[in-house]
């Protein structure tokens, strides 16, 4: 089976964790860079990565890398890519991309040039003056960094953080991939009591349950490459069956609480849709007053933090009260993500360790107490 060079983009700060994920899956030539991790494998590896990766945003095939300082160089570079290996004559191939620190800085112009070069290449190969683009979608993505162009084929379609368990229109302050990273950083493996006292729509506790079960996060969703002619259908079936064979079956103690009953209703619905509702208890409670459910365990949470001044003051006061409430909870390891720069001051205790992560474009820190 043909091998590809692939890349798994991720949120800034998660590169090392995604690299470790790929190495555990025994992929070849794993190489970590800022906001992405390269690896190599065949179509079966591509299917496995899409279905099983918890912390990456998507999986893409690298089709070409070349330098371009002019639109002509960009055009010729893209036109030289053997796109016909991937895209059939009826395939649709929209183009997205970005440019940073490069002479070709106009993204719309670059998109137009990449599209024109792809049209000219495929038109010549298929003997067509007009390409219908009525078939399956083969999303082309490009990046231009310091005049180096990389052209990718996106195998995932919708981002991998879209596991399929969140209701349409139900936004949460934390991506599923970042929630999975917090669970990973806490070293939760299903043995400890796991508690999120600010559970909101349930993302962190759902990801904890999926991790405890070793359940692949992409089992219940589709991917763009499932509909592509050059990817054998059996690789998807095999990847899903293999993932199911590696699941664990046990009893887990996972609790999510929130003061808002409407959020809890959403969390319960999301957990049910994710197929993990029987492993999670949800309870309405004030995080600054609730009795801890055990003598020891792991707390992972994303306390609310406000965008406006009054909201920020309320959030800071909440952190102060939360810190007082947990002052003597020495049996609990705590992993708290927040964008509040003075969190340790308000919480009342210096963290054992800190790690900078980004929630989208929002810079946050994970404060670890153990």
């Amino acid at each position: 089976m043909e091998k590809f060079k692939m890349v798994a983009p991720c949120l800034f700060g998660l590169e090392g964790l995604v690299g470790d994920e790929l190495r555990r899956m025994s992929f070849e030539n794993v190489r970590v860079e800022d906001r992405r991790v390269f690896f190599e494998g065949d179509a079966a590896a591509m299917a496995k990565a899409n279905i099983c990766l918890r912390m990456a945003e998507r999986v893409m095939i690298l089709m070409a890398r070349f330098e371009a300082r002019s639109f002509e160089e960009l055009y010729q570079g893209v036109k030289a890519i053997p796109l016909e290996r991937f895209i059939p004559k009826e395939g649709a191939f929209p183009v997205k991309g970005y440019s940073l620190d490069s002479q070709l800085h106009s993204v719309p112009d670059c998109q137009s040039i990449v599209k024109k070069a792809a049209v000219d290449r495929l038109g010549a190969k298929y003997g067509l003056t007009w390409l219908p683009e009525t078939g399956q979608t083969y999303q082309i993505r490009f990046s231009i960094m310091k005049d180096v162009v990389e052209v990718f084929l996106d195998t995932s379609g919708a981002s991998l953080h879209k596991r399929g368990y969140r209701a349409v229109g139900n936004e949460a302050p934390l991506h599923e991939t970042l929630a999975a990273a917090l669970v990973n950083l806490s070293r939760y493996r299903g043995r400890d009591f796991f508690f999120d006292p600010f559970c909101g729509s349930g993302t962190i506790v759902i990801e904890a349950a999926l991790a405890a079960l070793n359940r692949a996060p992409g089992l219940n969703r589709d991917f763009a490459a499932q509909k592509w002619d050059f990817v054998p259908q059996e690789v998807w079936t095999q990847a899903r069956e293999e993932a199911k064979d590696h699941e664990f079956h046990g009893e887990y103690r996972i609790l999510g609480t929130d003061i808002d009953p409407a959020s809890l209703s959403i969390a319960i619905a999301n957990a049910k849709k994710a197929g993990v509702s029987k492993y999670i208890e949800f309870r309405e409670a004030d995080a600054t007053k609730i009795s801890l459910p055990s003598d020891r365990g792991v707390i992972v949470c994303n306390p609310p933090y406000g965008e406006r001044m009054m909201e920020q003051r309320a959030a800071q006061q909440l952190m102060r009260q939360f810190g007082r409430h947990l002052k003597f909870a020495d049996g609990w390891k705590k992993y708290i993500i927040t964008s509040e720069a003075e969190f340790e001051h308000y919480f009342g205790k210096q963290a054992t360790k800190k790690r900078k992560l980004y929630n989208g474009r929002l810079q946050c820190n994970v404060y670890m107490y153990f």
Side-chain angles (χ1 to χ4, degrees), residues 64-253:
R65 179 187 285 122
F66 56 90
E67 291 187 6
R69 293 175 178 81
S70 69
F71 288 131
E72 179 62 22
E73 288 178 333
L74 177 61
Y75 173 85
Q76 293 297 339
V78 174
K79 194 178 178 185
I81 301 171
L83 295 172
E84 63 280 1
R85 286 173 53 199
F86 307 103
I87 305 172
K89 63 181 178 181
E90 71 280 357
F93 49 100
V95 174
K96 292 181 180 177
Y98 64 88
S99 177
L100 294 172
D101 300 327
S102 299
Q103 292 186 45
L104 299 176
H105 54 81
S106 170
V107 172
D109 288 339
C110 291
Q111 282 179 299
S112 297
I113 295 296
V114 171
K115 182 70 176 184
K116 177 173 170 47
V119 167
D120 290 351
R121 169 83 189 203
L122 292 170
K125 290 295 178 180
Y126 292 127
L128 299 171
T129 56
W130 178 79
L131 294 167
E133 296 198 54
T134 54
Q136 300 300 333
T137 299
Y138 296 74
Q139 177 73 63
I140 294 174
R141 293 181 181 269
F142 68 86
S143 73
I144 308 177
M145 289 278 290
K146 296 181 179 178
D147 301 320
V148 175
V149 180
E150 292 174 325
V151 184
F152 304 97
L153 194 62
D154 182 356
T155 73
S156 301
S159 174
L160 296 183
H161 82 263
K162 296 184 177 180
R163 319 286 209 213
Y165 63 72
R166 186 177 294 166
V168 176
N170 168 219
E171 290 301 318
L174 213 62
H175 269 191
E176 292 87 335
T177 45
L178 184 52
L182 294 176
V183 174
N184 183 282
L185 287 170
S186 77
R187 300 185 181 276
Y188 173 69
R189 301 292 184 269
R191 290 183 291 274
D192 301 313
F193 201 116
F194 189 95
F195 178 32
D196 179 0
F198 301 96
C199 76
S201 59
T203 308
I204 290 176
V205 286
I206 291 170
E207 291 298 323
L210 291 172
L213 291 162
N214 198 35
R215 180 170 295 167
L219 271 181
N220 298 319
R221 57 157 286 180
D222 295 327
F223 304 93
Q226 281 181 248
K227 301 172 183 175
W228 294 353
D229 294 340
F230 74 90
V231 180
Q233 277 299 307
E234 57 264 25
V235 301
W236 300 98
T237 303
Q238 290 167 0
R240 284 189 164 88
E241 289 303 317
E242 182 183 338
K244 289 176 184 175
D245 289 343
H246 285 86
E247 282 191 15
F248 304 141
H249 303 280
E251 300 274 333
Y252 306 106
R253 297 171 297 163

Side-chain angles (χ1 to χ4, degrees), residues 309-327:
M309 183 60 71
M310 290 301 291
E311 290 176 343
Q312 286 177 345
R313 288 175 181 167
Q316 290 161 356
Q317 180 61 18
L318 176 63
M319 291 172 195
R320 183 178 283 115
Q321 293 170 346
F322 187 50
R324 288 172 184 163
H325 183 58
L326 296 181
K327 187 173 182 179

Side-chain angles (χ1 to χ4, degrees), residues 22-35:
L22 290 164
R23 292 185 189 99
R24 284 195 298 272
M25 293 181 198
S26 301
F27 292 136
E28 300 173 10
N29 299 322
V30 175
R31 178 167 53 86
V32 174
E33 294 187 359
D34 282 350
R35 295 185 297 175

